[in-house]
Amino acid sequence: MKIIGIDLSGPSNHKDTVLAVFENQAGALRFNKQLSNIGDLEILNEVTHQSQNDEVVIGIDAPLSYQDGGGDRPGDKELRQYIVSLGMKSGSIMPPTFNRMVYLTLRGIKLSREIGNLKTENPISMVEVHPGAVIGSRISRSHLDYVLSYKQDLAARRFIRKWLGEQKLTNLPVLIEEESHSMDACAAALGAWHWRDKQFQPKWILPADPPLHPFDYCC
């Protein structure tokens, strides 16, 4: 099984888009490679390539639907309440149609449907993931400050890289400490792995509710 974590940015901001590829080996996720500063076609090509020999599971950090009429989706409200209960800040979860989110939502919806239309040798499944919540829901409460600061602080990213190794993400290169988008891609892969692999389960999940919300949403 190949696990891909994608930290998506808006369609005009390729430089902040990171894709991390892992392979499930003997109960661990082994880091394979990272692609940065990539557009939609490069993402689609990489997914197609990875699907040639194995099942592919993708965790995407971006809204993959929006609420008809605007505002929060039911999952946004629930996940916000959940992360606040962990001691995290509510502001990391915004309505998909909020001004700062709308172009990311557009790209997430478009890309997820394009992936769904790919003709591949092996199955592809997708889940919407919140990387910060993936980390915050699994890390010790005594280390929660690292979760709150890793986007700005290199020392926090160094700690979380080590912590990801303890979660059985192996062979992680030092380069993922360089900026938070790489770390979020790895955390998205961790969330997707726990969502798909039957020996694990998500810490929080809202099942898909098609046709308006066709993908599970989890951390």
Side-chain angles (χ1 to χ4, degrees):
M1 182 188 298
K2 299 293 182 66
I3 309 290
I4 296 177
I6 303 176
D7 183 39
L8 204 65
S9 62
S12 63
N13 185 23
H14 289 178
K15 70 181 181 63
D16 289 336
T17 296
V18 177
L19 180 153
V21 180
F22 292 81
E23 186 170 1
N24 189 352
Q25 294 182 341
L29 280 194
R30 180 175 175 81
F31 180 87
N32 182 296
K33 66 178 174 179
Q34 173 179 295
L35 302 178
S36 303
N37 191 17
I38 51 176
D40 294 355
L41 185 57
E42 292 163 292
I43 294 172
L44 293 171
N45 287 341
E46 185 62 30
V47 170
T48 300
H49 172 70
Q50 294 299 330
S51 71
Q52 289 177 354
N53 299 309
D54 208 345
E55 173 188 358
V56 174
V57 179
I58 306 171
I60 302 181
D61 176 21
L64 304 185
S65 66
Y66 65 90
Q67 186 66 17
D68 192 20
D72 280 331
R73 298 169 294 176
D76 300 318
K77 294 178 181 179
E78 288 189 21
L79 183 56
R80 190 181 296 117
Q81 292 171 352
Y82 176 64
I83 67 169
V84 169
S85 76
L86 299 174
M88 297 175 64
K89 297 178 180 178
S90 64
S92 66
I93 300 172
M94 293 178 279
T97 52
F98 188 60
N99 285 348
R100 290 173 56 189
M101 291 290 292
V102 67
Y103 288 109
L104 174 60
T105 300
L106 174 66
R107 189 181 186 195
I109 291 174
K110 173 180 178 288
L111 182 63
S112 62
R113 277 46 167 193
E114 288 169 341
I115 292 173
N117 287 330
L118 290 174
K119 306 300 182 184
T120 58
E121 294 293 326
N122 292 287
I124 296 173
S125 55
M126 284 174 285
V127 61
E128 182 178 337
V129 180
H130 188 286
V134 168
I135 301 170
S137 61
R138 290 166 175 80
I139 205 166
S140 165
R141 289 294 183 97
S142 62
H143 294 139
L144 191 63
D145 283 347
Y146 292 115
V147 183
L148 300 177
S149 61
Y150 78 91
K151 291 186 181 294
Q152 298 82 30
D153 184 51
L154 176 59
R157 292 196 295 275
R158 285 175 176 161
F159 179 89
I160 291 177
R161 174 175 170 264
K162 179 181 177 183
W163 176 85
L164 286 169
E166 295 169 356
Q167 309 310 302
K168 300 185 178 180
L169 271 64
T170 65
N171 199 39
L172 289 175
V174 174
L175 68 86
I176 74 159
E177 298 175 358
E178 293 177 1
E179 45 84 35
S180 64
H181 300 293
S182 295
M183 194 142 287
D184 282 340
C186 291
L190 174 60
W193 179 33
H194 286 190
W195 169 75
R196 182 68 180 87
D197 195 318
K198 293 186 183 301
Q199 67 176 321
F200 301 106
Q201 60 182 8
K203 294 295 184 180
W204 172 92
I205 185 168
L206 188 74
D209 184 19
L212 297 183
H213 306 292
F215 298 100
D216 287 359
Y217 186 12
C218 77
C219 71

